[in-house]
Amino acid sequence: MKKQLTLLLIGLATLCCASSLSAQTTEERPLKRHHVTADLLGNKLALGASYEYRFGERINDIGIRTGLGWFGGEGSGSYHEQGGGYYSANVRANFWSIPVECNALIGPKNHHLEVGIGLVSSIATSNVESFSYNENYTAQGTGIIVSGNATVGYRYQRPQGGFVFRLAISPMFKLPLGDDYISTPVLWPTLSIGYSF
C-alpha cells in the first residue's frame, strides 16, 4: 500500500511538472510580430495587400500597418448634339491607394477588437479619348489626394502566429487642410485574410 501511494504521488508530481513546463513554454513563446494579408475593399478601395509589424512583447502593443490597393475601370459611350454632331468617347481610370495606419488590438488571446487611425494617399490616373466625324481628342490626367482613415473591427490573430482574419469598418474622412472631395465620412467595409510569422 505504501509503495502504491508513493508511486501515485510520483506520478502526480510528474504530471504537474509536465503541465507547468508546457504552460511556461506556451506563455514564453515569442510573439510573431509580422503579418501579411490579402484585402478586399476598405482603404484599399477594391483589392490590395498589407504588411503589419507589431511593436513590444505582447500582441496588445501598438502595431503599424501599410499596404497597396487598386481599383480600376473602363467605359465608353456616345451622344448626339442638336446640330447633328456625333461624339464617341472611351474613358479608362485607375485608382491606387497607399494607406499607413497605427493600430491597437484589445483582447489578450486570439480574438481582438482592432482600432486604428492613419492616412491614405490616393493616386488617380485617367485617359480619355473622344472621337467625332471631324476631330479626335485625347486627354490624360493624374491627381493625388490624402485623406484620413480609421478602423474599427474584429481580428482573429494568435500571438504564436498562423492564420489571420479581419472584418472591420474603415471610414475615410476629409482632413482639415485637405481636398474637398470627401465632405462626409465614407464607410468602407473591409475583409482581410492572411498569415502572421
Side-chain angles (χ1 to χ4, degrees), residues 3-196:
K3 186 178 178 183
Q4 291 172 343
L5 186 59
T6 304
L7 288 174
L8 180 63
L9 289 174
I10 290 173
L12 285 174
T14 304
L15 186 61
C16 287
C17 286
S19 88
S20 172
L21 286 174
S22 171
Q24 279 184 341
T25 306
T26 303
E27 289 170 7
E28 293 172 4
R29 192 177 298 163
L31 172 68
K32 301 298 183 184
R33 300 173 186 277
H34 309 270
H35 89 249
V36 291
T37 57
D39 307 313
L40 180 64
L41 299 177
N43 55 24
K44 306 301 183 312
L45 305 177
L47 302 172
S50 294
Y51 166 77
E52 181 172 302
Y53 179 82
R54 302 219 65 77
F55 298 98
E57 301 298 324
R58 300 173 307 127
I59 197 161
N60 298 104
D61 291 330
I62 298 297
I64 189 161
R65 180 180 178 86
T66 188
L68 180 66
W70 172 83
F71 172 75
E74 184 172 344
S76 62
S78 59
Y79 66 94
H80 295 278
E81 287 188 330
Q82 289 183 349
Y86 174 81
Y87 292 87
S88 178
N90 295 323
V91 179
R92 285 189 303 278
N94 287 296
F95 301 90
W96 298 91
S97 72
I98 304 169
V100 178
E101 181 179 89
C102 189
N103 63 34
L105 302 181
I106 301 167
K109 294 188 179 177
N110 302 335
H111 304 277
H112 310 280
L113 170 66
E114 177 183 345
V115 292
I117 189 90
L119 297 173
V120 180
S121 299
S122 300
I123 302 165
T125 61
S126 64
N127 185 26
V128 178
E129 297 173 339
S130 177
F131 312 96
S132 70
Y133 63 92
N134 62 357
E135 64 178 337
N136 294 338
Y137 172 76
T138 301
Q140 295 178 335
T142 302
I144 298 175
I145 300 166
V146 179
S147 61
N149 178 241
T151 299
V152 177
Y154 165 78
R155 184 191 295 193
Y156 174 84
Q157 181 176 348
R158 296 174 64 239
Q160 298 83 15
F163 178 72
V164 175
F165 173 81
R166 297 173 67 243
L167 184 61
I169 297 293
S170 199
M172 294 170 63
F173 51 88
K174 177 183 171 183
L175 296 173
L177 301 175
D179 293 308
D180 292 331
Y181 89 106
I182 292 179
S183 57
T184 58
V186 179
L187 295 177
W188 286 91
T190 183
L191 172 69
S192 303
I193 294 175
Y195 188 80
S196 64

